[in-house]
Amino acid sequence: DFGFEEVFARQVDGLARQNDTLVVFTTSGKSPNIIAALKRAKERGCSTVGMLGGDGGPALALCDYSVVIPGTDSAAIQEGHQTLIHACCEVLEHHA
């Protein structure tokens, strides 16, 4: 059995290949399951993108690219992440 800390890392093990990109979302940057997934992605040669909150926490150092929404209000951080994702989708739809 694997604990919840491995839930995303196990998915990386099964799905990620070298040169893939892992995108993670965490409002604190401290979630052990996110940290484990980022580490596993790095081991597999993946690039990493973090949508982070607060000060980015330990996840910041594991991300090749990151956007950090400062603050401690999880709902506000999630709203910021959601706005950014919608903007990214809009750009991709117009340039695809």
Side-chain angles (χ1 to χ4, degrees), residues 1 5 10 24 33-34 40 62 65 74 78 85:
D1 289 325
E5 288 185 11
R10 297 278 296 153
V24 300
N33 52 14
I34 297 294
R40 200 69 54 83
L62 296 168
Y65 306 96
S74 292
Q78 290 170 351
I85 288 300

Side-chain angles (χ1 to χ4, degrees), residues 70-81:
T72 58
D73 182 355
S74 292
I77 293 167
Q78 290 170 351
E79 289 173 359
H81 290 163

